[in-house]
Amino acid sequence: MSSLSRELVFLILQFLDEEKFKETVHKLEQESGFYFNMRYFEEMVTNGEWDEVEKYLSGFTKVDDNRYSMKIFFEIRKQKYLEALDKRDRAKAVEILVKDLKVFAAFNEDLFKEITQLLTLENFRDNEQLSKYGDTKSARGIMLAELKKLIEANPLFRDKLQFPPLKNSRLRTLINQSLNWQHQLCKNPRPNPDIKTLFVDHSCGTPNGARAPSPVTNPLMGGVPKAGGFPPLSAHGPFQPTPAALPTSLAGWMANPSPVPHPSASAGPIGLAAANNAAILKRPRTPTNNPAMDYQTADSEHVLKRSRPFGMPDEVNNLPVNVLPVPYTSQSHGQSSYSSTDLPKTVVMTLSQGSSVKSMDFHPVQQILLLVGTNMGDVMVWELGSRERIALRNFKVWEAGAWSVPLQASLANDYTASVNRVVWSPDGNFFGVAYSKHIVHIYSYHGGDDLRNHLEIEAHSGSVNDLAFSYPNKQLCVVTCGDDRVIKVWDAVSGSKQYSFEGHEAPVYSVCPHHKENIQFIFSTATDGKIKAWLYDNMGSRVDYDAPGHSSTTMAYSADGTRLFSCGTNKEGESFLVEWNESEGAVKRSYHGIGKRTVGIVQFDTTRNRFLAAGDEFLIKFWDMDSTQLLATTEVEGALPASPCIRFNKEGILLAVSTNDNSVKILANADGIRLLRTMESRTFDASRVASAAVKAPTIATFGSGDVNVGTSIGDRTAPVAAMVAMNTDSRSLDVKPRIADESVEKSRIWKLTEVNESSQCRSLRLPDTLTAMRVSRLIYTNSGLAILALASNAVHKLWKWQRNDRNSTGKATASVVPQLWQPASGILMTNDVSDTNPEDAVPCFALSKNDSYVMSASGGKISLFNMMTFKTMTTFMPPPPAATFLAFHPQDNNIIAIGMEDSSIQIYNVRVDEVKTKLKGHQKRITGLAFSHALNVLVSSGADSQLCVWSTDGWEKQASKFLQMPGGPGGRTQAPLADTRVQFHLDQIHLLVVHETQIAIYDAPKLECLKQFVPREVSGPITHATYSCDSQSIYVSFEDGSVGVLTAATLRLRCRINSNAYLPPNPSIRVYPLVIAAHPSEPNQFALGLTDGGVHILEPLESEGKWGTSPPTENGAGPSTTSGAAGSER
């Protein structure tokens, strides 16, 4: 088949998808073999439609095509077989064995025998390799992840996994172009040709009246409509000229432009139409009565196009291409596989606010941080993992004397204001608060409870009704609207006003900034039900349209920005929830089930590009975006007001709803419940960034490679005047000397916590019957149920805690003695040591995310062990050079970064057993590796005290820097071959760097040193350090046996644990920690691996709950970003 024929198939696929011929689409995908729809494949596998799965695969590969294909079919048939066994359907299992699995016996007879033997077991999970098989749903999910990797690696699927990037309705565009050319060739072209069929070429009949001017010779072509042009297929009218390129979302809405004094024309490059075209633009689009052409309604990205110079062929310039509504972009070919069970409907917690909730917003990256604003002007940040309110700000004017007389008079009469809107900036570094009295506050957020006043703006006269962030010209701005009928745009850094849009005739109720095709615009809605749209050009509104029912309306796009929805309530209490046809400025779909006697104004939200939710009639109501019928409702324990506030988190696994008792209830689905359970005991958690699968955060020791993703915090400096911090008690900040005095007073009271005796903490030495050799590496399993150590003799030791009355969670704790675990076979996990002395080697290991495998090396080959059986699965990469550090890629466990003795880094693919690339930039051995999912980088550190940043996209080096060695009288010179370790903060931006001379925090992309901590001389060198699981603390071990606990945000020492607190006195032997590991979900628990082979767990006393208290910071600013923090240790 020729390439053009192949492309035609793609156009037909797009057309069928847009027309919702779902079965036909997938049949053509399979029969042509041109495009493998992974989303459709996932849906079938998830639903267990095995026959359809194999039938679909048959269009692309056969069982014996290659080893990837064989593995794909084997995994599918094995899963089908196990499910039959799990249902006790032996007859079905035997049938699958004979018909489906026997074909594989020719390739691996032993495996086939082992599968056959499963029939003899009462429960196939008794087989050691299947002991971790869960329920059907989870097993299918695990298999699906493996299948996707096999398909992506299979050369037969190459170039078949991506749908071409087509414009919407491309096939209809080509048809329209053809009709235009046919019409131009007519001998007697009519101004309004009536096209009745596509089956034969178009030809105009004998003209009635004067002949229309030729479109080719029309001297005003490009400036005015062509009388002889082919009309928009949904209206009888001439072509619309297109002097400016505008996004679809605005273009179609211009069919009804606003009357003067709000012009719809502009002399600039973003003008909409020439003045003499106003009548054409205002002409309403009426549906045609021609049944043959009814399918061609208007919805296209080509409604308006940039004009072409005179004389150029204008097959594009004069094409209305108003063909079919296009519900999805071409990249959305195929549907997602979410179901209503994915909706968060289970109440998991209640957070008391003290006053009525008016607005909420989840942090865009740290997805368990919830921002809440109330009718009393209170603004709070809640950390859902611990159910703690980590920040509170009451309504307070920061600079009372600087504002207008009306504002001062209003505050003098009543010094309260309600919050109308709270919202995070897209990166989560700022949030904005719109108040009912004139004012907008912008705070900068720096992690933990660190909120700082950033901007106070008197934005509007009267109430500020809404606030949003946008990025015009790649510059962060704040968009506000108010009772004064004006929309304003402010620079988010300086607070200067950039634009002011006037034209509404009623208070502006909401704003919705968006962008399409690099064009930035703002939708605004008013209380009279008018919708307008504005470009950032002070040229007036481009749209004047009515909201359904003339309601006070909010507008929102789906997460991928392709679909526009609105929800509102009019003065009669009638509510409307609709999807808009952007190119037409018309309602595309109205959702049923929304109230007709609403109290208040209904709020709504979207999630996962699939669901809508609204708080209405004392319920939370859910809809599938593609269906007008109500999908589900929940009463939330009968606690809801008539029109509650609602807000999804980014992943859609949590839903916050306001209640009638001044509280917020958090609803979760299964993924949300798992996330919160894992983190429920944390005092604060920065959570992880959104990814395809939300999992509980896991922080292991250095080298785990499984560090989770959060957001950027505190990585910018702002003008000092704008960054004055607030006290948590919200007292006035305009008396700076008094605040400074209070800070001094607090600093006199604060005292470093010293733990000198065993009675001052909880400690436990783990039982050990094996040979005691120094502990070289130490890590908690990601589940927190066990600890794994690697000794200097290349032997691994695993301690497991049992779930019992004293330990209901089964997690690691100093209160219960664990078991040194070994499988029934009695074998040990022992690394290959080749001809080397393991005592002289640099050991390293990394644990897979599901705790099933550990990859490890002690100077010899790298070994992969099964953590259940301790069996060696494989060995690879014999020295020289030896591996010195290992890290799993955070998104693909088959990709490993291996630091080598010869200073290189090898990126190795386990699945295909090959080195993808070698990275060279260090001079000495690699001693640390850390991936950042957020930045798509790998950071390496070496014994040369150098840091390097590598892009994980192309593996090129982006930056490198040598550590700043501390100097001065107390500074030590750098030791030769001193290990340098690296670990990412949960935000995946800030980097903890550990060297024997210092602890430092770096900004990862640029490797800028932000803070530095130098230990006191008597402590001896630093031996190791790690972030606590919530990244709020840093645990540091020293050569004198002590452990320091630093506050991560300031690098200030807040607690020192001396060796006497956990070690029995023994003057004859010097024992100290070599490695330190943090529990993955208990932020105050850590483990030490000692020089004498012991492993100790330490926790604070239950009565204390944490390791000391943070030293106060002056004016909330914290220490400088230099090494000044070192003073706290001396």
Side-chain angles (χ1 to χ4, degrees):
M1 185 179 284
S2 71
S3 62
L4 286 181
S5 297
R6 186 174 185 274
E7 290 182 1
L8 179 58
V9 172
F10 281 110
L11 296 180
I12 295 170
L13 282 172
Q14 183 195 41
F15 172 81
L16 293 172
D17 185 53
E18 291 169 350
E19 288 296 293
K20 301 274 194 299
F21 292 109
K22 295 199 185 308
E23 291 185 15
T24 311
V25 168
H26 303 314
K27 184 68 175 174
L28 181 55
E29 289 167 353
Q30 177 222 321
E31 287 192 344
S32 67
F34 291 158
Y35 172 61
F36 184 83
N37 191 326
M38 187 68 83
R39 202 176 266 184
Y40 174 61
F41 179 74
E42 290 175 17
E43 190 176 315
M44 290 190 293
V45 171
T46 302
N47 295 332
E49 299 168 359
W50 306 121
D51 292 341
E52 292 301 315
V53 168
E54 290 211 19
K55 187 177 179 182
Y56 189 70
L57 278 169
S58 68
F60 303 88
T61 184
K62 299 187 294 295
V63 174
D64 56 356
D65 277 345
N66 57 41
R67 62 192 179 106
Y68 299 104
S69 299
M70 186 177 296
K71 177 72 169 166
I72 290 168
F73 281 97
F74 174 74
E75 289 296 329
I76 291 169
R77 295 175 183 182
K78 182 186 76 173
Q79 180 63 28
K80 183 165 63 166
Y81 176 63
L82 293 178
E83 288 184 18
L85 288 177
D86 209 20
K87 294 175 182 175
R88 303 289 195 273
D89 190 346
R90 304 274 171 175
K92 181 70 173 177
V94 170
E95 181 185 344
I96 296 168
L97 190 68
V98 174
K99 287 186 177 180
D100 296 335
L101 288 169
K102 194 169 184 179
V103 65
F104 300 104
F107 304 100
N108 192 330
E109 190 172 352
D110 291 339
L111 179 60
F112 181 71
K113 287 179 180 177
E114 190 173 353
I115 290 174
T116 305
Q117 287 171 2
L118 296 178
L119 285 167
T120 65
L121 300 176
E122 182 65 25
N123 185 340
F124 64 79
R125 292 173 181 82
D126 294 339
N127 180 288
E128 196 172 41
Q129 294 186 41
L130 295 173
S131 60
K132 282 197 169 185
Y133 185 96
D135 58 14
T136 298
K137 184 178 179 181
S138 61
R140 287 177 183 173
I142 293 168
M143 178 192 67
L144 182 58
E146 180 63 23
L147 290 178
K148 289 170 71 175
K149 291 173 184 175
L150 289 168
I151 289 168
E152 289 164 2
N154 193 330
L156 293 176
F157 289 83
R158 192 165 296 145
D159 302 325
K160 296 181 180 180
L161 299 177
Q162 293 293 327
F163 200 80
L166 305 176
K167 293 281 190 179
N168 291 345
S169 305
R170 178 60 185 160
L171 183 60
R172 296 192 196 105
T173 299
L174 293 174
I175 292 171
N176 249 16
Q177 290 173 347
S178 170
L179 292 173
N180 273 278
W181 278 110
Q182 291 172 33
H183 186 61
Q184 286 185 7
L185 296 174
C186 286
K187 294 180 179 179
N188 302 300
R190 290 182 179 177
N192 298 303
D194 189 10
I195 308 298
K196 296 182 180 294
T197 181
L198 298 177
F199 292 164
V200 296
D201 287 350
H202 161 71
S203 177
C204 289
T206 306
N208 293 321
R211 177 176 174 175
S214 166
V216 177
T217 59
N218 188 337
L220 298 178
M221 172 181 79
V224 295
K226 291 190 300 183
F230 183 72
L233 296 180
S234 59
H236 296 295
F239 284 125
Q240 298 179 11
T242 55
L246 279 179
T248 306
S249 50
L250 286 183
W253 295 61
M254 305 316 155
N256 295 289
S258 57
V260 290
H262 315 304
S264 60
S266 165
I270 309 184
L272 294 178
N276 60 349
N277 296 324
I280 297 165
L281 285 172
K282 290 180 183 177
R283 179 172 299 160
R285 301 186 178 194
T286 55
T288 177
N289 294 318
N290 182 350
M293 303 303 287
D294 275 351
Y295 72 91
Q296 293 176 333
T297 59
D299 187 351
S300 167
E301 296 183 10
H302 303 270
V303 176
L304 295 179
K305 288 192 172 293
R306 194 174 302 280
S307 60
R308 295 178 174 241
F310 174 75
M312 287 184 67
D314 62 339
E315 68 273 17
V316 176
N317 182 45
N318 289 313
L319 291 178
V321 196
N322 296 339
V323 276
L324 257 180
V326 183
Y328 309 102
T329 59
S330 57
Q331 287 80 359
S332 299
H333 184 72
Q335 279 293 317
S336 65
S337 57
Y338 296 120
S339 72
S340 60
T341 57
D342 294 313
L343 292 169
K345 291 188 286 187
T346 303
V347 177
V348 292
M349 69 180 70
T350 302
L351 309 173
S352 178
Q353 309 299 314
S355 50
S356 178
V357 173
K358 297 285 288 182
S359 179
M360 299 179 290
D361 196 26
F362 278 96
H363 195 283
V365 183
Q366 301 179 32
Q367 294 196 53
I368 58 166
L369 289 188
L370 177 66
L371 177 63
V372 180
T374 76
N375 68 336
M376 297 302 293
D378 298 333
V379 178
M380 291 160 272
V381 179
W382 290 85
E383 197 275 318
L384 303 187
S386 62
R387 310 188 185 197
E388 288 185 9
R389 187 179 67 193
I390 60 174
L392 166 67
R393 298 293 183 266
N394 307 118
F395 174 69
K396 179 79 175 179
V397 176
W398 299 345
E399 298 183 36
W403 303 122
S404 66
V405 173
L407 173 56
Q408 294 188 48
S410 175
L411 294 175
N413 183 48
D414 179 14
Y415 198 85
T416 60
S418 172
V419 172
N420 283 334
R421 178 78 154 142
V422 291
V423 64
W424 291 98
S425 64
D427 59 5
N429 291 327
F430 297 92
F431 68 79
V433 186
Y435 290 102
S436 61
K437 291 185 178 178
H438 300 247
I439 287 178
V440 164
H441 279 165
I442 307 296
Y443 292 93
S444 61
Y445 179 62
H446 301 265
D449 59 358
D450 189 0
L451 291 184
R452 304 180 191 176
N453 299 7
H454 178 57
L455 289 175
E456 181 174 68
I457 304 170
E458 185 173 2
H460 295 273
S461 176
S463 176
V464 184
N465 295 326
D466 199 9
L467 173 148
F469 287 91
S470 68
Y471 275 103
N473 306 316
K474 298 181 179 179
Q475 174 187 8
L476 184 64
C477 287
V478 180
V479 183
T480 64
C481 65
D483 278 355
D484 57 3
R485 307 178 183 183
V486 180
I487 300 104
K488 298 180 182 179
V489 182
W490 314 84
D491 185 296
V493 176
S494 66
S496 60
K497 185 167 69 175
Q498 305 292 300
Y499 302 96
S500 182
F501 303 130
E502 299 183 24
H504 276 291
E505 298 174 0
V508 186
Y509 179 70
S510 72
V511 288
C512 177
H514 197 57
H515 65 90
K516 285 283 181 77
E517 300 174 5
N518 298 320
I519 304 297
Q520 301 273 348
F521 55 92
I522 304 167
F523 280 120
S524 63
T525 70
T527 56
D528 60 359
K530 289 293 184 182
I531 298 173
K532 294 181 182 291
W534 318 80
L535 300 179
Y536 294 85
D537 60 2
N538 286 323
M539 295 302 297
S541 69
R542 305 310 214 267
V543 158
D544 188 355
Y545 219 76
D546 291 328
H550 296 277
S551 55
S552 293
T553 295
T554 53
M555 307 184 81
Y557 278 88
S558 56
D560 59 9
T562 61
R563 304 174 72 175
L564 177 62
F565 303 89
S566 74
C567 182
T569 305
N570 63 19
K571 294 174 183 177
E572 289 73 39
E574 191 174 10
S575 296
F576 303 86
L577 177 62
V578 303
E579 179 178 5
W580 290 88
N581 181 329
E582 286 187 83
S583 66
E584 283 294 296
V587 171
K588 176 179 178 178
R589 182 181 283 116
S590 294
Y591 295 92
H592 304 315
I594 198 81
K596 301 305 178 186
R597 291 285 184 272
T598 302
V599 178
I601 298 176
V602 172
Q603 293 195 22
F604 86 116
D605 201 2
T606 73
T607 187
R608 297 191 177 196
N609 301 314
R610 187 63 189 271
F611 296 117
L612 300 168
D616 179 41
E617 297 180 316
F618 305 95
L619 298 170
I620 305 300
K621 300 178 179 180
F622 300 96
W623 290 263
D624 185 304
M625 289 180 178
D626 295 328
S627 172
T628 59
Q629 299 304 315
L630 193 61
L631 177 65
T633 64
T634 178
E635 293 183 348
V636 192
E637 302 173 345
L640 300 180
S643 300
C645 299
I646 68 168
R647 193 68 174 170
F648 286 105
N649 76 339
K650 186 175 181 179
E651 289 290 335
I653 63 175
L654 300 175
L655 175 64
V657 301
S658 63
T659 66
N660 52 22
D661 61 352
N662 297 339
S663 296
V664 169
K665 287 188 182 291
I666 304 299
L667 282 61
N669 64 8
D671 288 330
I673 291 170
R674 276 194 293 273
L675 175 65
L676 292 172
R677 278 180 181 168
T678 305
M679 304 159 71
E680 61 190 0
S681 60
R682 301 186 180 190
T683 54
F684 175 76
D685 185 278
S687 189
R688 61 166 292 167
V689 86
S691 62
V694 176
K695 298 183 180 178
T698 54
I699 294 293
T701 54
F702 290 105
S704 71
D706 295 339
V707 181
N708 290 281
V709 186
T711 187
S712 169
I713 60 170
D715 55 353
R716 82 192 67 71
T717 55
V720 174
M723 297 297 286
V724 178
M726 280 185 87
N727 284 343
T728 54
D729 59 3
S730 302
R731 285 176 288 185
S732 172
L733 293 184
D734 52 0
V735 189
K736 295 181 181 177
R738 179 165 61 87
I739 292 172
D741 291 344
E742 288 175 357
S743 297
V744 171
E745 188 63 29
K746 288 178 182 176
S747 66
R748 288 178 188 150
I749 299 170
W750 179 84
K751 187 177 180 181
L752 174 70
T753 300
E754 295 268 5
V755 179
N756 297 312
E757 300 176 3
S758 58
S759 61
Q760 293 177 282
C761 67
R762 290 179 289 162
S763 68
L764 173 69
R765 185 179 176 108
L766 305 189
D768 191 356
T769 57
L770 301 176
T771 306
M773 301 290 287
R774 77 171 185 269
V775 180
S776 302
R777 295 290 179 264
L778 188 68
I779 191 173
Y780 283 86
T781 58
N782 295 305
S783 65
L785 304 176
I787 287 181
L788 179 67
L790 173 58
S792 59
N793 61 352
V795 174
H796 299 79
K797 300 175 184 180
L798 180 67
W799 288 271
K800 288 186 177 181
W801 275 257
Q802 304 299 315
R803 184 178 280 108
N804 53 40
D805 294 340
R806 294 186 58 203
N807 186 12
S808 59
T809 64
K811 290 186 178 181
T813 173
S815 303
V816 177
V817 178
Q819 174 190 5
L820 179 62
W821 196 85
Q822 283 184 274
S825 62
I827 63 173
L828 299 175
M829 283 191 290
T830 306
N831 279 333
D832 169 72
V833 294
S834 300
D835 298 326
T836 62
N837 179 359
E839 289 282 330
D840 299 331
V842 179
C844 53
F845 66 13
L847 190 61
S848 66
K849 292 177 185 176
N850 60 6
D851 296 333
S852 297
Y853 303 98
V854 62
M855 193 164 292
S856 185
S858 296
K861 296 178 184 176
I862 300 172
S863 300
L864 180 65
F865 296 101
N866 184 310
M867 286 278 282
M868 287 291 293
T869 64
F870 282 15
K871 289 181 180 177
T872 304
M873 310 299 290
T874 185
T875 59
F876 54 96
M877 285 208 174
T884 55
F885 206 91
L886 299 168
F888 282 103
H889 192 289
Q891 295 167 290
D892 187 350
N893 264 349
N894 289 300
I895 304 296
I896 310 160
I898 306 173
M900 309 300 284
E901 181 74 37
D902 67 354
S903 78
S904 68
I905 302 164
Q906 302 199 16
I907 307 302
Y908 177 74
N909 189 317
V910 179
R911 188 173 64 238
V912 297
D913 188 24
E914 68 178 19
V915 176
K916 293 179 64 177
T917 188
K918 286 187 179 182
L919 313 179
K920 295 184 178 179
H922 290 273
Q923 282 76 53
K924 294 180 180 177
R925 70 165 182 254
I926 304 301
T927 57
L929 295 168
F931 282 97
S932 169
H933 184 190
L935 298 174
N936 291 324
V937 298
L938 169 69
V939 175
S940 61
S941 58
D944 53 3
S945 302
Q946 185 184 191
L947 306 174
C948 294
V949 180
W950 314 85
S951 164
T952 55
D953 295 326
W955 298 111
E956 68 275 4
K957 186 161 73 170
Q958 293 184 339
S960 65
K961 184 170 288 188
F962 286 92
L963 295 191
Q964 300 173 8
M965 288 300 154
R972 288 184 292 274
T973 57
Q974 178 187 350
L977 293 179
D979 286 0
T980 306
R981 301 292 175 85
V982 286
Q983 181 189 14
F984 271 104
H985 186 285
L986 276 176
D987 67 9
Q988 293 284 283
I989 305 293
H990 293 89
L991 186 74
L992 172 64
V993 179
V994 182
H995 187 267
E996 69 169 32
T997 65
Q998 63 183 281
I999 300 291
I1001 303 296
Y1002 279 74
D1003 180 75
K1006 301 175 183 177
L1007 292 181
E1008 176 188 356
C1009 184
L1010 304 176
K1011 297 181 180 68
Q1012 189 182 52
F1013 167 90
V1014 179
R1016 58 182 186 169
E1017 195 73 26
V1018 294
S1019 300
I1022 294 168
T1023 60
H1024 202 204
T1026 183
Y1027 274 122
S1028 60
C1029 62
D1030 58 7
S1031 293
Q1032 300 304 297
S1033 303
I1034 299 172
Y1035 297 116
V1036 188
S1037 57
F1038 298 94
E1039 209 170 87
D1040 68 349
S1042 66
V1043 177
V1045 184
L1046 308 182
T1047 298
T1050 60
L1051 287 192
R1052 299 279 296 275
L1053 183 71
R1054 72 169 189 262
C1055 179
R1056 181 163 40 234
I1057 306 163
N1058 293 309
S1059 58
N1060 292 338
Y1062 66 93
L1063 286 176
N1066 187 350
S1068 63
I1069 184 170
R1070 179 167 168 260
V1071 179
Y1072 59 90
L1074 286 171
V1075 284
I1076 189 165
H1079 192 286
S1081 60
E1082 297 288 346
N1084 291 296
Q1085 184 188 134
F1086 61 89
L1088 301 173
L1090 308 181
T1091 52
D1092 68 351
V1095 174
H1096 286 250
I1097 290 184
L1098 276 78
E1099 292 182 276
L1101 295 174
E1102 290 186 9
S1103 58
E1104 297 289 336
K1106 57 184 179 180
W1107 298 108
T1109 57
S1110 298
T1113 56
E1114 290 188 16
N1115 239 10
S1120 68
T1121 57
T1122 67
S1123 58
S1128 66
E1129 170 67 344
R1130 291 201 173 93

